[in-house]
Amino acid sequence: MEQALFDDLVQSLKEAKAIAHGKAPASRRFIVEKPDVKVVREQIGLSQSEFARLMRVSVKTLQNWEQHRRHPSGPAAALLKIVLTAPEVALKALHA
């Protein structure tokens, strides 16, 4: 590894440590909105059992999301955003 590249990497790690310990502000912050699962489900007109089957989760998990006891994360949150943004495309792809 080139020395300049190594020095940049070390500097980045030092900055990350300072940010993690609250000694420096982050240069960027991303806020990911949690989707309102019930609103998404109601917009596409599916029952809880139908939507749970579509999302490939249990009805209990879906109910926990809708009642805000739990929040979808990772792929489930991404899929919900797709369903909210382009429901026709999402439904077509998921039913295929």
Side-chain angles (χ1 to χ4, degrees), residues 38-52:
K38 187 173 183 179
V39 169
V40 174
R41 178 180 62 79
E42 289 176 343
Q43 278 187 341
I44 60 173
L46 296 177
S47 69
Q48 284 185 337
S49 61
E50 291 168 330
F51 194 62

Side-chain angles (χ1 to χ4, degrees), residues 28-81:
R28 289 178 290 223
R29 227 177 244 288
F30 297 96
I31 299 172
V32 179
E33 299 288 327
K34 294 178 181 154
D36 188 330
V37 179
K38 187 173 183 179
V39 169
V40 174
R41 178 180 62 79
E42 289 176 343
Q43 278 187 341
I44 60 173
L46 296 177
S47 69
Q48 284 185 337
S49 61
E50 291 168 330
F51 194 62
R53 195 169 29 260
L54 182 76
M55 293 291 296
R56 292 174 173 76
V57 298
S58 70
V59 172
K60 190 71 172 168
T61 295
L62 181 65
Q63 290 169 344
N64 283 332
W65 291 347
E66 288 190 359
Q67 295 169 12
H68 305 287
R69 290 189 297 250
R70 305 275 315 207
H71 300 284
S73 61
L79 181 56
L80 284 166
K81 184 168 178 93

